[in-house]
Amino acid sequence: MHLHLAYPAVLAVLLFCVGLYGVLARRNAILVLMSVELMLNAVNLNLVAFDVWLRDSLHAGQALTLFTIAIAAAEIGIGLAIVLAVYRNRGSSAVDDLRDTAELPDDDPGDSDSDGAHRLGDTDEDETDEEAAPAQKAEATA
């Protein structure tokens, strides 16, 4: 029996292209992860097909396929955990919404008062809330 290498190679190219389209075009993080899995399965198909075609006595292609499957399982586990955490915090798993979570660098790090009153997390609103708190307590007791 002779294996024609063209059939699994064409199937692998089609799988990889569908996965690449899914990664580039989808907005849902779950669908992006599924597309990455399609791309990894295309690579696995090529590894096994070339292993059989070359008649490797060590079966290195199949060993690499098992390694790739293990890496894919770890990747999907970590990826789903990240997607669930983002969904709990944001209420959406859209990839475009994740761009808003990036921290932007400060334009001018020396933008605080000379006495260091403005530190991380301190704003003018906090100062007005502290000044208004005694007045609110006085109104509540009256």
Side-chain angles (χ1 to χ4, degrees):
M1 182 173 152
H2 189 272
L3 174 71
H4 292 284
L5 191 57
Y7 299 130
V10 168
L11 180 61
V13 166
L14 290 175
L15 275 176
F16 195 86
C17 287
V18 168
L20 186 64
Y21 172 75
V23 167
L24 296 176
R26 297 295 176 190
R27 301 289 181 245
N28 190 350
I30 301 292
L31 293 177
V32 170
L33 287 174
M34 288 173 60
S35 299
V36 169
E37 291 295 321
L38 272 177
M39 293 167 65
L40 287 173
N41 284 330
V43 170
N44 288 340
L45 180 61
N46 268 335
L47 284 171
V48 171
F50 276 97
D51 182 60
V52 171
W53 184 65
L54 294 173
R55 295 187 178 116
D56 185 19
S57 61
L58 295 176
H59 298 292
Q62 294 178 24
L64 282 173
T65 298
L66 289 175
F67 182 72
T68 307
I69 290 171
I71 295 297
E75 172 256 333
I76 201 71
I78 292 171
L80 281 175
I82 292 171
V83 168
L84 284 175
V86 167
Y87 183 77
R88 285 181 186 163
N89 289 334
R90 296 275 178 174
S92 171
S93 63
V95 177
D96 290 339
D97 294 341
L98 296 179
R99 293 184 186 144
D100 299 336
T101 62
E103 294 183 15
L104 298 175
D106 292 333
D107 292 336
D108 187 13
D111 196 21
S112 63
D113 290 341
S114 60
D115 62 346
H118 287 284
R119 291 189 183 95
L120 185 63
D122 290 343
T123 61
D124 293 332
E125 296 170 322
D126 292 337
E127 294 172 5
T128 57
D129 289 342
E130 291 173 5
E131 293 170 359
Q136 291 174 350
K137 288 180 185 175
E139 289 177 30
T141 56

